[in-house]
Amino acid sequence: MTVNPTHTALWPAPHASGAVAATVHVPGSKSVTNRALVLAALAHEPGWLRRPLRSRDTLLMAAALRAMGVGIEETVSSSSAAGQDGSGEAWRVIPSGLRGPATVDVGNAGTVMRFLPPVAALADGPIRFDGDPRSYERPLHGVIDALRALGARIDDSSLGSPGALPLTVHGGGALEGGRVEIDASSSSQFVSALLLSGPRFNQGVEVRHVGSALPSMPHIRMTVDMLRAVGAQVDTPEAGGEPNVWRVTPGALLGRDLTVEPDLSNAQPFLAAALITGGCVTIPDWPARTTQPGDALRRIFTEMGGSCELTEQGLTFTGSGSVHGIDVDLSEVGELTPGIAAVAALADSPSTLRGVAHLRLHETDRLAALTKEINELGGDVTETADGLHIRPRPLHGGVFHTYDDHRMATAGAIIGLAVPGVQIENVETTAKTLPDFPELWAGMLGN
């Protein structure tokens, strides 16, 4: 975990002078957008994505699929072109024969580095995967080992360490598929990666998780729901199947017209602003039913002192003027940890965040990063085996480093609302999933 010397620009985090009152249009879900792009690329007919997220991670996914021969046409409705939430934008995805040679830049996007090697195995020709230096350190062995077991040829030893980037998938135009065992305890994306391409494997796929508890189960449920929506047959543990076993039957996928939900995890800093300032924030178009992990914020932030109301217009969250500590298992919603930790550092009682040891393998070691950065502002955070213990202390201003991690940047911004003088290093890293965050943040505050 090191500070990137090339991204040292400091952003003075705005300080709230009173209760926040705002309506914030949050852009589309990265998780939904990138899954939808993969499924549309593997379909047997064209499909549409409406209100997709345009961020670094999704543009990397689109560019990678284009490199493999998929057509992706972007259109903007003139009546909505200026919409902050991307409501006027649509992408038409035109499947074609996947082919190489091609080179894919994954950046530091877990969905790109994990979802696309199975797609590449279906291509005709070699597909090389490379990315940011941090991407070399992120676990990929679950996907690589599984694909080899299913019949793919992968070269992951030309540079770096086996089981990691960079690597080349030598696509043979098809993949036999079948049954495979993997340990996905370090990332649920290993399971999702195999399921998404499974309908195109000759035998489909049966994925058996054999490790310790799976993190981020809502993301696997999201994958299953989206597969079923395009015509795939999926058997799951929740539907009476074997524990930790998912089966996808081979078959053609339908092109569909999908409107992407707002990214509920990216709504977190704005809801946190209402909580810690005793204000009120509305997020339009919050879905009544969703598999997004961010939906858990309604429960978690209510326990920490706020209240919420979900209507046809969206979610309105209101702070009470008090912020309480929480003891919570975040194993299914680990991506929310940085924002919850930031709020907990401002609470009136201690908090314990559990079940998130896997965050040490995310964009950065998030547990170590949160501990260091909050403590350097005067906090009292200690790492546990699987999370953080946070004892609120009076905080002071200072530099909050982000380690090229978008959720570290938004966590620092949350603290800055209540603590004058906080400066966020490389706030531009929020463009990974939340483009224009500084402008949205300033707009929320009426600046």
Side-chain angles (χ1 to χ4, degrees):
M1 188 187 68
T2 58
V3 177
N4 188 335
T6 65
H7 295 300
T8 55
L10 299 179
W11 178 67
H15 178 63
S17 58
V20 169
T23 295
V24 181
H25 291 270
V26 176
S29 164
K30 181 257 310 190
S31 298
V32 172
T33 299
N34 274 357
R35 282 166 173 78
L37 281 171
V38 171
L39 291 172
L42 295 174
H44 77 279
E45 59 188 353
W48 285 91
L49 253 67
R50 302 190 188 277
R51 299 176 66 172
L53 173 67
R54 284 184 60 88
S55 71
R56 188 186 186 212
D57 279 17
T58 61
L59 294 176
L60 284 168
M61 180 68 83
L65 291 169
R66 287 189 179 109
M68 288 190 271
V70 178
I72 302 177
E73 301 173 352
E74 303 182 31
T75 63
V76 178
S77 167
S78 58
S79 62
S80 306
Q84 192 177 51
D85 60 352
S87 57
E89 188 158 6
W91 293 353
R92 186 168 186 255
V93 182
I94 306 167
S96 62
L98 298 166
R99 61 184 181 272
T103 297
V104 167
D105 176 12
V106 309
N108 193 18
T111 51
V112 181
M113 71 179 70
R114 291 164 183 152
F115 291 178
L116 289 188
V119 176
L122 298 168
D124 184 8
I127 310 293
R128 176 175 169 79
F129 291 83
D130 208 339
D132 297 352
R134 171 62 180 171
S135 71
Y136 293 11
E137 303 172 23
R138 300 186 67 182
L140 199 56
H141 54 85
V143 174
I144 295 172
D145 294 347
L147 286 175
R148 284 181 173 141
L150 296 173
R153 185 163 70 92
I154 300 175
D155 177 9
D156 61 337
S157 58
S158 58
L159 295 171
S161 303
L165 291 172
L167 60 86
T168 298
V169 178
H170 297 275
L175 193 68
E176 191 59 24
R179 175 176 171 172
V180 66
E181 292 186 348
I182 64 170
D183 181 352
S185 55
S186 60
S187 176
S188 68
Q189 290 176 350
F190 295 167
V191 174
S192 288
L194 298 169
L195 298 184
L196 288 168
S197 292
R200 289 284 303 271
F201 298 166
N202 294 341
Q203 297 182 37
V205 71
E206 177 183 299
V207 181
R208 292 177 170 266
H209 167 62
V210 295
S212 55
L214 268 171
S216 305
M217 280 297 296
H219 280 126
I220 296 179
R221 289 192 283 271
M222 176 186 294
T223 298
V224 170
D225 280 3
M226 294 183 68
L227 275 162
R228 287 172 173 162
V230 295
Q233 180 180 331
V234 188
D235 297 324
T236 68
E238 294 91 343
E242 297 178 60
N244 293 324
V245 177
W246 294 262
R247 296 184 182 89
V248 179
T249 301
L253 298 179
L254 307 174
R256 64 167 298 194
D257 193 321
L258 171 71
T259 298
V260 178
E261 299 172 351
D263 193 313
L264 307 187
S265 294
N266 277 340
Q268 182 181 37
F270 306 101
L271 300 181
L275 178 59
I276 65 177
T277 67
C280 180
V281 168
T282 296
I283 309 295
D285 303 317
W286 193 288
R289 178 190 174 277
T290 181
T291 53
Q292 288 194 60
D295 195 45
L297 289 167
R298 292 192 287 161
R299 170 183 57 83
I300 294 169
F301 278 173
T302 295
E303 290 183 26
M304 297 186 80
S307 62
C308 64
E309 181 183 13
L310 183 61
T311 68
E312 291 183 357
Q313 285 69 45
L315 180 76
T316 297
F317 189 87
T318 305
S320 64
S322 297
V323 181
H324 309 311
I326 191 171
D327 186 327
V328 61
D329 184 340
L330 299 175
S331 57
E332 292 205 344
V333 293
E335 66 195 52
L336 304 179
T337 302
I340 294 170
V343 173
L346 303 169
D348 58 14
S349 58
S351 295
T352 300
L353 313 184
R354 295 178 282 106
V356 288
H358 60 285
L359 294 189
R360 295 186 169 100
L361 302 171
H362 275 222
E363 281 82 345
T364 189
D365 179 342
R366 285 179 171 166
L367 300 185
L370 287 164
T371 300
K372 178 177 182 294
E373 297 309 315
I374 294 173
N375 286 352
E376 289 195 352
L377 299 182
D380 184 0
V381 182
T382 55
E383 284 191 61
T384 65
D386 71 338
L388 299 172
H389 187 62
I390 302 168
R391 304 166 194 82
R393 296 286 186 271
L395 301 182
H396 55 72
V399 175
F400 194 95
H401 298 100
T402 62
Y403 312 94
D404 293 328
D405 186 334
H406 56 131
R407 300 208 191 277
M408 287 296 296
T410 53
I414 291 168
I415 293 174
L417 279 182
V419 179
V422 174
Q423 299 183 83
I424 311 298
E425 174 256 346
N426 187 24
V427 74
E428 290 80 9
T429 194
T430 53
K432 176 181 171 67
T433 63
L434 186 53
D436 303 322
F437 169 73
E439 291 77 12
L440 286 170
W441 200 243
M444 174 191 70
L445 293 170
N447 296 344

